[in-house]
Amino acid sequence: MKSRSWAAFAVALSAMVAACDVPRPTAPAATTPAGPGFSASRDAGDVGVDTLVRTVRMLAAARGITPLPRPPRVPLALARLGRALAFDRILSGNRDIACMTCHAVDYGTDDGKSVAVGAGGIGLGPTRYHPDGTFVPRNTPSLFNLYGMKHLFWDGRVEVDDQRHFHTPAGAQLTPAMQRVLQYGPVSALGLFPVTVRVEMRGNSGNELASLADDDYTGIWNLLMQRLGRIPEYRRMFEAAYPGTRFDQMNFAYASNAIGAFFVDQFSFDDSPWDRFLAGNNTALTHQQLEGAETFLSLKCSLCHNGPALSDQQFHDVAVAQVGPGEGDGASGHDDYGRFRVTGDPADMYRFRTTPLRNVALTGPYGHDGAIVDLRSFIAHYSQSDQTLLSYDPSQLEPLLQNTLVHNESDVIARRDTLILGVVLTDDVVNKLVDYMGALTDPAALNLSRVAPLRVPSGLPVDR
């Protein structure tokens, strides 16, 4: 692009957008300054780069893609308590899995698997397995920048409305008093629910939690607090994290809030090359990444992946194949109806949350069930998504999942989000989008081994 004039560049860009049938955001005139750090005094050979920088800035502004707000401050004692709880297997029924077993720090705060292996599993990361071949129904989401999200879990079953009321599977069991403890929004409620799910952490038998009904959230939480209260070190840590409140006055919301605080404190990243570019550094991106950003912002990608979090915080059917055990839906019992399971609205069938994109290159496999194992293939999936779904190849999955494909293709295609209809991406466009995704990785997220503690108060082994 270095040798293009602005007019030639605009014509080429318009042709590319028209070919993909993509609405482009309205941008200011080309003479608008590019923003902080823009220099108009480059050599003549750099004029094309300056034009590209200016264009990317205009398109980003039109999509509302701004720097992430600073994460809230987390008191040290609260973060320490949250770290201990997140890594401690004591929160699982049979004391065999911790939150961070699936959200492993060496695998981008997920597990590198298509769908997770929960209670009763052996090992860590992509090689983790269950002796009975049991899987969790969905892919493990990463923990990056959760303080900026309004909905958590793939179906958004934990969310906070504009009046700061929490909407969760627990309903009225998450009392107003408990909600007031949850300081950091949905991320503070995240720890309340995996501990209640048998296949994830609670187990089916062999412990006092397993005997309770699946919807007895209060009973499960109370038993977990009793476990923690029998460990003097935890009692001291809770009371240090919440000065003025005795442990015996606390409920499990205090534990979940601490876990969420730890996630905010340790997994909030805003110093990727793209973040530096948004902050005004015009040299933060390579030329390839700049071209990728311009491509991303001109195509339909940015209609859903927008705003500070690079997510519209909505739910979409993007025609991902259904693999794994599923959520018990459909004639086979192995389907997953997504957001419909929360709202009961038929329009929400097969819709799942728009994933925020920072550090996305670290968090494969992709999709609500990890059906697509690498990032380039997932991007390419959006090109004629009906055809890519119909030709989906399950051989990319680990052996135990290869025969689990649910043939719901016609229903999924019929309900596809209209935003992705008619999208056709060439190999060159896919390559540019991959380059842009690389610019979303914060170098500090590449090695998170420092986060794992050497020990936890229960004395149980630490997955690290």
mmCIF file of all heavy atoms in Angstrom, residues 16-58:
data_model
loop_
_atom_site.group_PDB
_atom_site.id
_atom_site.type_symbol
_atom_site.label_atom_id
_atom_site.label_comp_id
_atom_site.label_asym_id
_atom_site.label_seq_id
_atom_site.Cartn_x
_atom_site.Cartn_y
_atom_site.Cartn_z
ATOM 1 N N MET A 16 -13.512 -4.138 -2.403
ATOM 2 C CA MET A 16 -13.429 -5.294 -1.509
ATOM 3 C C MET A 16 -14.675 -5.396 -0.647
ATOM 4 O O MET A 16 -15.248 -6.470 -0.478
ATOM 5 C CB MET A 16 -12.193 -5.179 -0.615
ATOM 6 C CG MET A 16 -12.046 -6.330 0.367
ATOM 7 S SD MET A 16 -10.626 -6.135 1.442
ATOM 8 C CE MET A 16 -11.200 -4.773 2.444
ATOM 9 N N VAL A 17 -15.126 -4.269 -0.126
ATOM 10 C CA VAL A 17 -16.312 -4.284 0.722
ATOM 11 C C VAL A 17 -17.538 -4.723 -0.070
ATOM 12 O O VAL A 17 -18.342 -5.540 0.384
ATOM 13 C CB VAL A 17 -16.535 -2.885 1.339
ATOM 14 C CG1 VAL A 17 -17.862 -2.843 2.061
ATOM 15 C CG2 VAL A 17 -15.407 -2.561 2.298
ATOM 16 N N ALA A 18 -17.672 -4.210 -1.278
ATOM 17 C CA ALA A 18 -18.830 -4.571 -2.097
ATOM 18 C C ALA A 18 -18.821 -6.054 -2.421
ATOM 19 O O ALA A 18 -19.863 -6.713 -2.423
ATOM 20 C CB ALA A 18 -18.825 -3.753 -3.389
ATOM 21 N N ALA A 19 -17.625 -6.603 -2.667
ATOM 22 C CA ALA A 19 -17.533 -8.021 -3.021
ATOM 23 C C ALA A 19 -18.007 -8.905 -1.886
ATOM 24 O O ALA A 19 -18.495 -10.015 -2.104
ATOM 25 C CB ALA A 19 -16.098 -8.372 -3.394
ATOM 26 N N CYS A 20 -17.829 -8.440 -0.671
ATOM 27 C CA CYS A 20 -18.228 -9.242 0.489
ATOM 28 C C CYS A 20 -19.605 -8.865 1.002
ATOM 29 O O CYS A 20 -20.030 -9.373 2.044
ATOM 30 C CB CYS A 20 -17.199 -9.087 1.615
ATOM 31 S SG CYS A 20 -15.596 -9.774 1.209
ATOM 32 N N ASP A 21 -20.279 -7.944 0.337
ATOM 33 C CA ASP A 21 -21.613 -7.524 0.751
ATOM 34 C C ASP A 21 -21.613 -7.064 2.192
ATOM 35 O O ASP A 21 -22.419 -7.508 3.018
ATOM 36 C CB ASP A 21 -22.613 -8.663 0.554
ATOM 37 C CG ASP A 21 -24.045 -8.198 0.795
ATOM 38 O OD1 ASP A 21 -24.314 -7.007 0.592
ATOM 39 O OD2 ASP A 21 -24.868 -9.048 1.191
ATOM 40 N N VAL A 22 -20.678 -6.188 2.532
ATOM 41 C CA VAL A 22 -20.462 -5.808 3.917
ATOM 42 C C VAL A 22 -20.766 -4.338 4.137
ATOM 43 O O VAL A 22 -20.215 -3.488 3.451
ATOM 44 C CB VAL A 22 -18.988 -6.058 4.307
ATOM 45 C CG1 VAL A 22 -18.752 -5.660 5.745
ATOM 46 C CG2 VAL A 22 -18.643 -7.518 4.118
ATOM 47 N N PRO A 23 -21.639 -4.008 5.101
ATOM 48 C CA PRO A 23 -21.843 -2.603 5.431
ATOM 49 C C PRO A 23 -20.614 -2.031 6.106
ATOM 50 O O PRO A 23 -20.064 -2.639 7.019
ATOM 51 C CB PRO A 23 -23.038 -2.637 6.397
ATOM 52 C CG PRO A 23 -23.011 -3.991 6.983
ATOM 53 C CD PRO A 23 -22.455 -4.903 5.927
ATOM 54 N N ARG A 24 -20.173 -0.897 5.663
ATOM 55 C CA ARG A 24 -18.987 -0.284 6.224
ATOM 56 C C ARG A 24 -19.392 0.852 7.140
ATOM 57 O O ARG A 24 -20.291 1.617 6.811
ATOM 58 C CB ARG A 24 -18.102 0.243 5.093
ATOM 59 C CG ARG A 24 -16.805 0.865 5.579
ATOM 60 C CD ARG A 24 -16.005 1.346 4.387
ATOM 61 N NE ARG A 24 -14.838 2.075 4.830
ATOM 62 C CZ ARG A 24 -14.027 2.714 4.007
ATOM 63 N NH1 ARG A 24 -14.257 2.703 2.722
ATOM 64 N NH2 ARG A 24 -12.979 3.366 4.464
ATOM 65 N N PRO A 25 -18.738 1.012 8.282
ATOM 66 C CA PRO A 25 -19.091 2.114 9.175
ATOM 67 C C PRO A 25 -18.807 3.454 8.524
ATOM 68 O O PRO A 25 -17.875 3.598 7.737
ATOM 69 C CB PRO A 25 -18.180 1.896 10.394
ATOM 70 C CG PRO A 25 -17.057 1.052 9.885
ATOM 71 C CD PRO A 25 -17.650 0.191 8.813
ATOM 72 N N THR A 26 -19.657 4.408 8.838
ATOM 73 C CA THR A 26 -19.452 5.749 8.328
ATOM 74 C C THR A 26 -18.237 6.363 8.982
ATOM 75 O O THR A 26 -18.100 6.356 10.207
ATOM 76 C CB THR A 26 -20.678 6.633 8.616
ATOM 77 O OG1 THR A 26 -21.814 6.010 8.021
ATOM 78 C CG2 THR A 26 -20.486 8.020 8.051
ATOM 79 N N ALA A 27 -17.315 6.863 8.190
ATOM 80 C CA ALA A 27 -16.084 7.436 8.725
ATOM 81 C C ALA A 27 -15.994 8.903 8.342
ATOM 82 O O ALA A 27 -16.569 9.352 7.356
ATOM 83 C CB ALA A 27 -14.875 6.679 8.172
ATOM 84 N N PRO A 28 -15.215 9.685 9.102
ATOM 85 C CA PRO A 28 -15.007 11.082 8.741
ATOM 86 C C PRO A 28 -14.254 11.190 7.418
ATOM 87 O O PRO A 28 -13.734 10.217 6.896
ATOM 88 C CB PRO A 28 -14.154 11.626 9.909
ATOM 89 C CG PRO A 28 -14.335 10.636 11.011
ATOM 90 C CD PRO A 28 -14.586 9.327 10.343
ATOM 91 N N ALA A 29 -14.172 12.376 6.899
ATOM 92 C CA ALA A 29 -13.425 12.597 5.670
ATOM 93 C C ALA A 29 -11.965 12.220 5.856
ATOM 94 O O ALA A 29 -11.429 12.234 6.961
ATOM 95 C CB ALA A 29 -13.538 14.066 5.261
ATOM 96 N N ALA A 30 -11.286 11.925 4.743
ATOM 97 C CA ALA A 30 -9.917 11.434 4.817
ATOM 98 C C ALA A 30 -8.950 12.458 5.388
ATOM 99 O O ALA A 30 -7.838 12.120 5.761
ATOM 100 C CB ALA A 30 -9.451 11.026 3.422
ATOM 101 N N THR A 31 -9.349 13.698 5.465
ATOM 102 C CA THR A 31 -8.450 14.726 5.966
ATOM 103 C C THR A 31 -8.458 14.820 7.482
ATOM 104 O O THR A 31 -7.693 15.570 8.065
ATOM 105 C CB THR A 31 -8.832 16.088 5.388
ATOM 106 O OG1 THR A 31 -10.203 16.347 5.694
ATOM 107 C CG2 THR A 31 -8.639 16.109 3.876
ATOM 108 N N THR A 32 -9.331 14.036 8.147
ATOM 109 C CA THR A 32 -9.378 14.070 9.612
ATOM 110 C C THR A 32 -8.057 13.608 10.188
ATOM 111 O O THR A 32 -7.522 12.588 9.765
ATOM 112 C CB THR A 32 -10.498 13.159 10.128
ATOM 113 O OG1 THR A 32 -11.724 13.617 9.574
ATOM 114 C CG2 THR A 32 -10.579 13.186 11.643
ATOM 115 N N PRO A 33 -7.458 14.299 11.155
ATOM 116 C CA PRO A 33 -6.209 13.835 11.757
ATOM 117 C C PRO A 33 -6.364 12.429 12.306
ATOM 118 O O PRO A 33 -7.425 12.041 12.768
ATOM 119 C CB PRO A 33 -5.957 14.864 12.876
ATOM 120 C CG PRO A 33 -6.716 16.082 12.459
ATOM 121 C CD PRO A 33 -7.920 15.572 11.724
ATOM 122 N N ALA A 34 -5.259 11.691 12.304
ATOM 123 C CA ALA A 34 -5.314 10.292 12.712
ATOM 124 C C ALA A 34 -5.363 10.137 14.212
ATOM 125 O O ALA A 34 -5.590 9.053 14.699
ATOM 126 C CB ALA A 34 -4.106 9.547 12.159
ATOM 127 N N GLY A 35 -5.134 11.141 14.975
ATOM 128 C CA GLY A 35 -5.210 11.010 16.420
ATOM 129 C C GLY A 35 -3.848 11.194 17.057
ATOM 130 O O GLY A 35 -2.861 11.533 16.395
ATOM 131 N N PRO A 36 -3.737 10.964 18.368
ATOM 132 C CA PRO A 36 -2.490 11.187 19.088
ATOM 133 C C PRO A 36 -1.346 10.413 18.445
ATOM 134 O O PRO A 36 -1.473 9.246 18.103
ATOM 135 C CB PRO A 36 -2.802 10.671 20.499
ATOM 136 C CG PRO A 36 -4.286 10.744 20.604
ATOM 137 C CD PRO A 36 -4.799 10.470 19.223
ATOM 138 N N GLY A 37 -0.225 11.064 18.296
ATOM 139 C CA GLY A 37 0.961 10.394 17.801
ATOM 140 C C GLY A 37 1.082 10.394 16.292
ATOM 141 O O GLY A 37 2.093 9.996 15.746
ATOM 142 N N PHE A 38 0.044 10.846 15.571
ATOM 143 C CA PHE A 38 0.108 10.823 14.112
ATOM 144 C C PHE A 38 1.104 11.863 13.628
ATOM 145 O O PHE A 38 1.135 12.992 14.086
ATOM 146 C CB PHE A 38 -1.265 11.122 13.514
ATOM 147 C CG PHE A 38 -1.235 11.197 12.007
ATOM 148 C CD1 PHE A 38 -1.093 10.047 11.256
ATOM 149 C CD2 PHE A 38 -1.318 12.423 11.379
ATOM 150 C CE1 PHE A 38 -1.065 10.132 9.873
ATOM 151 C CE2 PHE A 38 -1.294 12.499 10.003
ATOM 152 C CZ PHE A 38 -1.158 11.351 9.233
ATOM 153 N N SER A 39 1.942 11.442 12.698
ATOM 154 C CA SER A 39 2.932 12.348 12.148
ATOM 155 C C SER A 39 2.702 12.505 10.655
ATOM 156 O O SER A 39 2.626 11.524 9.926
ATOM 157 C CB SER A 39 4.358 11.825 12.395
ATOM 158 O OG SER A 39 5.302 12.591 11.684
ATOM 159 N N ALA A 40 2.610 13.720 10.196
ATOM 160 C CA ALA A 40 2.443 13.975 8.766
ATOM 161 C C ALA A 40 3.782 14.245 8.100
ATOM 162 O O ALA A 40 3.842 14.629 6.942
ATOM 163 C CB ALA A 40 1.508 15.165 8.560
ATOM 164 N N SER A 41 4.891 14.075 8.820
ATOM 165 C CA SER A 41 6.198 14.449 8.302
ATOM 166 C C SER A 41 7.037 13.255 7.901
ATOM 167 O O SER A 41 8.256 13.344 7.839
ATOM 168 C CB SER A 41 6.941 15.260 9.371
ATOM 169 O OG SER A 41 7.123 14.475 10.537
ATOM 170 N N ARG A 42 6.399 12.105 7.613
ATOM 171 C CA ARG A 42 7.162 10.930 7.201
ATOM 172 C C ARG A 42 7.713 11.137 5.798
ATOM 173 O O ARG A 42 7.287 12.020 5.054
ATOM 174 C CB ARG A 42 6.278 9.682 7.233
ATOM 175 C CG ARG A 42 5.749 9.357 8.624
ATOM 176 C CD ARG A 42 5.079 8.017 8.626
ATOM 177 N NE ARG A 42 4.487 7.736 9.928
ATOM 178 C CZ ARG A 42 4.042 6.546 10.282
ATOM 179 N NH1 ARG A 42 4.120 5.540 9.462
ATOM 180 N NH2 ARG A 42 3.515 6.374 11.474
ATOM 181 N N ASP A 43 8.653 10.271 5.419
ATOM 182 C CA ASP A 43 9.182 10.315 4.065
ATOM 183 C C ASP A 43 8.073 10.011 3.066
ATOM 184 O O ASP A 43 7.068 9.400 3.392
ATOM 185 C CB ASP A 43 10.309 9.287 3.907
ATOM 186 C CG ASP A 43 11.517 9.650 4.762
ATOM 187 O OD1 ASP A 43 11.652 10.841 5.113
ATOM 188 O OD2 ASP A 43 12.309 8.739 5.077
ATOM 189 N N ALA A 44 8.321 10.358 1.815
ATOM 190 C CA ALA A 44 7.301 10.157 0.795
ATOM 191 C C ALA A 44 6.896 8.701 0.686
ATOM 192 O O ALA A 44 5.739 8.377 0.435
ATOM 193 C CB ALA A 44 7.817 10.660 -0.561
ATOM 194 N N GLY A 45 7.847 7.778 0.901
ATOM 195 C CA GLY A 45 7.536 6.356 0.802
ATOM 196 C C GLY A 45 6.608 5.874 1.888
ATOM 197 O O GLY A 45 6.057 4.780 1.809
ATOM 198 N N ASP A 46 6.432 6.659 2.951
ATOM 199 C CA ASP A 46 5.583 6.255 4.070
ATOM 200 C C ASP A 46 4.174 6.815 3.963
ATOM 201 O O ASP A 46 3.359 6.604 4.854
ATOM 202 C CB ASP A 46 6.197 6.729 5.398
ATOM 203 C CG ASP A 46 7.442 5.950 5.738
ATOM 204 O OD1 ASP A 46 7.527 4.781 5.320
ATOM 205 O OD2 ASP A 46 8.323 6.517 6.410
ATOM 206 N N VAL A 47 3.888 7.557 2.893
ATOM 207 C CA VAL A 47 2.575 8.181 2.773
ATOM 208 C C VAL A 47 1.472 7.131 2.815
ATOM 209 O O VAL A 47 0.445 7.297 3.474
ATOM 210 C CB VAL A 47 2.492 9.010 1.471
ATOM 211 C CG1 VAL A 47 1.064 9.480 1.236
ATOM 212 C CG2 VAL A 47 3.443 10.200 1.552
ATOM 213 N N GLY A 48 1.668 5.986 2.129
ATOM 214 C CA GLY A 48 0.657 4.942 2.128
ATOM 215 C C GLY A 48 0.412 4.389 3.506
ATOM 216 O O GLY A 48 -0.728 4.087 3.870
ATOM 217 N N VAL A 49 1.472 4.258 4.307
ATOM 218 C CA VAL A 49 1.315 3.767 5.672
ATOM 219 C C VAL A 49 0.529 4.761 6.509
ATOM 220 O O VAL A 49 -0.367 4.378 7.274
ATOM 221 C CB VAL A 49 2.696 3.493 6.318
ATOM 222 C CG1 VAL A 49 2.530 3.090 7.771
ATOM 223 C CG2 VAL A 49 3.435 2.418 5.537
ATOM 224 N N ASP A 50 0.857 6.043 6.354
ATOM 225 C CA ASP A 50 0.111 7.057 7.105
ATOM 226 C C ASP A 50 -1.366 7.033 6.739
ATOM 227 O O ASP A 50 -2.237 7.193 7.598
ATOM 228 C CB ASP A 50 0.684 8.451 6.818
ATOM 229 C CG ASP A 50 2.006 8.693 7.520
ATOM 230 O OD1 ASP A 50 2.351 7.892 8.409
ATOM 231 O OD2 ASP A 50 2.688 9.673 7.175
ATOM 232 N N THR A 51 -1.660 6.827 5.464
ATOM 233 C CA THR A 51 -3.050 6.736 5.031
ATOM 234 C C THR A 51 -3.730 5.536 5.655
ATOM 235 O O THR A 51 -4.875 5.610 6.113
ATOM 236 C CB THR A 51 -3.123 6.642 3.498
ATOM 237 O OG1 THR A 51 -2.595 7.831 2.937
ATOM 238 C CG2 THR A 51 -4.554 6.444 3.029
ATOM 239 N N LEU A 52 -3.025 4.412 5.715
ATOM 240 C CA LEU A 52 -3.586 3.206 6.307
ATOM 241 C C LEU A 52 -3.838 3.392 7.795
ATOM 242 O O LEU A 52 -4.883 2.997 8.322
ATOM 243 C CB LEU A 52 -2.635 2.030 6.057
ATOM 244 C CG LEU A 52 -3.090 0.648 6.492
ATOM 245 C CD1 LEU A 52 -4.440 0.289 5.883
ATOM 246 C CD2 LEU A 52 -2.044 -0.398 6.106
ATOM 247 N N VAL A 53 -2.902 4.026 8.474
ATOM 248 C CA VAL A 53 -3.085 4.315 9.905
ATOM 249 C C VAL A 53 -4.325 5.175 10.103
ATOM 250 O O VAL A 53 -5.167 4.910 10.977
ATOM 251 C CB VAL A 53 -1.838 5.015 10.476
ATOM 252 C CG1 VAL A 53 -2.139 5.619 11.846
ATOM 253 C CG2 VAL A 53 -0.679 4.040 10.580
ATOM 254 N N ARG A 54 -4.441 6.205 9.275
ATOM 255 C CA ARG A 54 -5.582 7.108 9.409
ATOM 256 C C ARG A 54 -6.901 6.361 9.182
ATOM 257 O O ARG A 54 -7.874 6.544 9.920
ATOM 258 C CB ARG A 54 -5.449 8.256 8.398
ATOM 259 C CG ARG A 54 -6.563 9.291 8.489
ATOM 260 C CD ARG A 54 -6.452 10.336 7.401
ATOM 261 N NE ARG A 54 -5.238 11.124 7.516
ATOM 262 C CZ ARG A 54 -4.223 11.078 6.667
ATOM 263 N NH1 ARG A 54 -4.263 10.238 5.632
ATOM 264 N NH2 ARG A 54 -3.175 11.838 6.842
ATOM 265 N N THR A 55 -6.901 5.501 8.168
ATOM 266 C CA THR A 55 -8.117 4.756 7.851
ATOM 267 C C THR A 55 -8.507 3.815 8.982
ATOM 268 O O THR A 55 -9.676 3.730 9.379
ATOM 269 C CB THR A 55 -7.917 3.960 6.548
ATOM 270 O OG1 THR A 55 -7.595 4.863 5.497
ATOM 271 C CG2 THR A 55 -9.174 3.188 6.191
ATOM 272 N N VAL A 56 -7.530 3.103 9.531
ATOM 273 C CA VAL A 56 -7.815 2.173 10.631
ATOM 274 C C VAL A 56 -8.365 2.930 11.831
ATOM 275 O O VAL A 56 -9.316 2.486 12.487
ATOM 276 C CB VAL A 56 -6.550 1.379 10.994
ATOM 277 C CG1 VAL A 56 -6.750 0.595 12.294
ATOM 278 C CG2 VAL A 56 -6.181 0.419 9.864
ATOM 279 N N ARG A 57 -7.799 4.084 12.114
ATOM 280 C CA ARG A 57 -8.303 4.861 13.256
ATOM 281 C C ARG A 57 -9.744 5.313 13.025
ATOM 282 O O ARG A 57 -10.579 5.270 13.937
ATOM 283 C CB ARG A 57 -7.407 6.067 13.505
ATOM 284 C CG ARG A 57 -6.033 5.709 14.051
ATOM 285 C CD ARG A 57 -5.375 6.904 14.717
ATOM 286 N NE ARG A 57 -4.070 6.548 15.242
ATOM 287 C CZ ARG A 57 -3.865 5.860 16.368
ATOM 288 N NH1 ARG A 57 -4.905 5.465 17.081
ATOM 289 N NH2 ARG A 57 -2.650 5.571 16.768
ATOM 290 N N MET A 58 -10.059 5.747 11.823
ATOM 291 C CA MET A 58 -11.417 6.198 11.537
ATOM 292 C C MET A 58 -12.411 5.045 11.642
ATOM 293 O O MET A 58 -13.492 5.184 12.221
ATOM 294 C CB MET A 58 -11.473 6.832 10.143
ATOM 295 C CG MET A 58 -10.761 8.167 10.048
ATOM 296 S SD MET A 58 -11.071 9.012 8.461
ATOM 297 C CE MET A 58 -10.326 7.874 7.306
#
